[in-house]
Amino acid sequence: MHALEISNLEKTYASGLQALKGIDLTVEEGDFFALLGPNGAGKSTCIGIISGLVNKTAGSVRIFDHSIDQEFILAKSLLGSVPQEFNFNTFEPTEEIVINQAGFYGVPSRVARKETEHYLKQLGLWQHRRSQARRLSGGMKRRLMIARALIHKPRLLILDEPTAGVDIELRRSMWDFLEQINDQGTTIILTTHYLEEAERMCRNVAIIDEGNIIQDTSMKLLLKQLNSETLVFYLRDNLEQVPRLASFDNIIKLDHHSIEVEIPEQHSINDLIAELEAQNIVVQRMRNKVNRLEELFVKLTSKTDRTSAA
Ligand code: ADP
């Protein structure tokens, strides 16, 4: 069974900008799926359409084989969605926000209270249940959005950048939580900027760029394409010309004290440092040129201008 089936989905905003150019995407039931892409690629637009927050221009979306056009209420009842923007009444108490949401889906009040307690406890918000949502930290608000999205037990959960602005420790506990509900059978789709996040959790992945799907594959196969890394090395002494090294071809001199080197999978940084030292070139410091996700986007889309922004 497909949890999600998108075909020929198009979105042109009133400004004339075509944010989605006819995309096809299928997500299997039980999957943990990543929708990746650079800023402005069309991820939020896509998620907004699936969640009923954005009107599509053309194409179709089916959630567990129910059309969001013809069977909107049924399709929506199977979906939980966590948009990027906090969209609850911040003056309401945390607990009430979740319980009220259950009401929209016809969950009986007694069940709603019990489920709310369950999710608020699981997400570490129980002690804040009586606090107005505006008193919660950013990470807590994000978790409140997740509790609210889960209260009617959706079979498909979609999260738009769930860990944006969330500190590392909290991010890890959120990952654990999401893995747990995926293990229990909920299909999860997320957009993220953290390759580490997608890499850790997602089995399948699609990459969207300028409104087109440019990759739709398993995480494993995608990461295989990322078999080299570019690093910047800062040198102790003045460098007159680009050194010639036996194992490294792609070396660029950035200035008199720094070079950029692509490290292929079969060689290590130690190999590079040894080869440089053999020519009396001493490395003092180094750094990653770009994050890996950025590097992947650059490779796949051949847009080198994006690296300079990193
Ligand atoms: P992503 O989530 O991948 O960053 P978005 O879906 O937010 O991308 O945006 C895709 C494109 O659509 C961008 O060029 C963005 O500026 C544009 N866009 C998004 N929302 C609107 C809107 N409400 N009106 C006009 N253009 C929009």
Side-chain angles (χ1 to χ4, degrees):
M1 164 83 83
H2 296 152
L4 179 70
E5 210 178 341
I6 289 177
S7 73
N8 202 24
L9 189 64
E10 288 181 30
K11 173 65 187 177
T12 305
Y13 283 106
S15 60
L17 187 125
Q18 197 180 10
L20 295 177
K21 298 174 178 161
I23 62 167
D24 297 312
L25 194 64
T26 301
V27 177
E28 296 297 329
E29 178 168 20
D31 204 353
F32 206 134
F33 192 96
L35 190 58
L36 305 178
N39 267 335
K43 303 180 297 290
S44 296
T45 301
C46 182
I47 284 188
I49 293 171
I50 301 165
S51 319
L53 301 171
V54 175
N55 289 325
K56 59 188 164 61
T57 311
S60 72
V61 176
R62 300 182 78 81
I63 299 170
F64 290 99
D65 212 22
H66 298 290
S67 158
I68 62 162
D69 298 317
Q70 280 93 38
E71 303 162 278
F72 178 72
I73 292 176
L74 186 51
K76 198 158 165 62
S77 71
L78 297 169
L79 175 74
S81 127
V82 183
Q84 263 186 56
E85 309 288 327
F86 300 128
N87 59 358
F88 42 71
N89 176 353
T90 55
F91 289 93
E92 250 186 294
T94 301
E95 185 177 38
E96 295 305 316
I97 289 172
V98 184
I99 291 172
N100 289 344
Q101 177 82 356
F104 293 131
Y105 287 92
V107 179
S109 153
R110 194 179 47 83
V111 178
R113 290 198 169 270
K114 212 168 135 258
E115 287 298 319
T116 300
E117 180 177 343
H118 169 73
Y119 284 119
L120 291 187
K121 278 185 175 163
Q122 265 207 314
L123 286 158
L125 292 171
W126 184 239
Q127 79 225 55
H128 303 285
R129 63 190 178 280
R130 305 245 152 78
S131 310
Q132 285 184 338
R134 68 195 173 112
R135 305 257 179 245
L136 302 179
S137 69
M140 288 178 192
K141 286 186 182 124
R142 183 80 48 204
R143 281 177 281 154
L144 170 58
M145 297 275 285
I146 296 177
R148 190 183 61 165
L150 286 171
I151 196 64
H152 63 290
K153 297 207 177 299
R155 288 167 66 191
L156 171 62
L157 179 68
I158 299 195
L159 306 116
D160 198 356
E161 296 277 352
T163 55
V166 170
D167 67 49
I168 293 270
E169 203 178 322
L170 202 58
R171 203 180 298 163
R172 298 243 153 86
S173 73
M174 220 133 111
W175 292 346
D176 290 343
F177 174 76
L178 293 175
E179 275 174 343
Q180 201 180 321
I181 57 169
N182 178 243
D183 284 345
Q184 289 161 4
T186 310
T187 308
I188 299 182
I189 301 174
L190 57 81
T191 74
T192 182
H193 268 91
Y194 300 107
L195 185 58
E196 192 197 355
E197 181 162 285
E199 196 174 347
R200 168 167 163 173
M201 295 194 292
C202 300
R203 288 185 281 279
N204 291 298
V205 53
I207 296 186
I208 184 165
D209 185 48
E210 294 183 355
N212 292 304
I213 301 270
I214 57 164
Q215 287 272 319
D216 185 1
T217 180
S218 70
M219 198 70 210
K220 250 192 196 151
L221 286 177
L222 183 76
L223 290 172
K224 265 200 176 161
Q225 297 183 35
L226 193 64
N227 55 5
S228 70
E229 206 173 359
T230 303
L231 298 167
V232 175
F233 294 86
Y234 297 94
L235 312 172
R236 188 188 62 192
D237 306 314
N238 233 344
L239 186 73
E240 289 309 323
Q241 57 193 27
V242 176
R244 283 178 168 274
L245 304 178
S247 318
F248 303 88
D249 298 328
N250 287 329
I251 306 173
I252 298 170
K253 183 177 158 188
L254 299 175
D255 58 36
H256 286 306
H257 281 278
S258 58
I259 51 171
E260 187 184 297
V261 186
E262 188 181 322
I263 315 282
E265 197 178 29
Q266 67 273 25
H267 290 294
S268 70
I269 296 170
N270 284 342
D271 296 341
L272 176 77
I273 291 175
E275 285 194 31
L276 287 171
E277 285 196 343
Q279 298 190 22
N280 285 327
I281 301 171
V282 179
V283 171
Q284 282 190 317
R285 283 181 300 120
M286 63 175 194
R287 70 170 170 85
N288 257 7
K289 189 186 174 206
V290 287
N291 76 42
R292 295 170 65 219
L293 188 55
E294 197 75 28
E295 195 160 351
L296 186 65
F297 293 157
V298 169
K299 271 196 179 153
L300 292 171
T301 60
S302 318
K303 285 184 190 135
T304 42
D305 54 335
R306 282 200 187 115
T307 47
S308 55

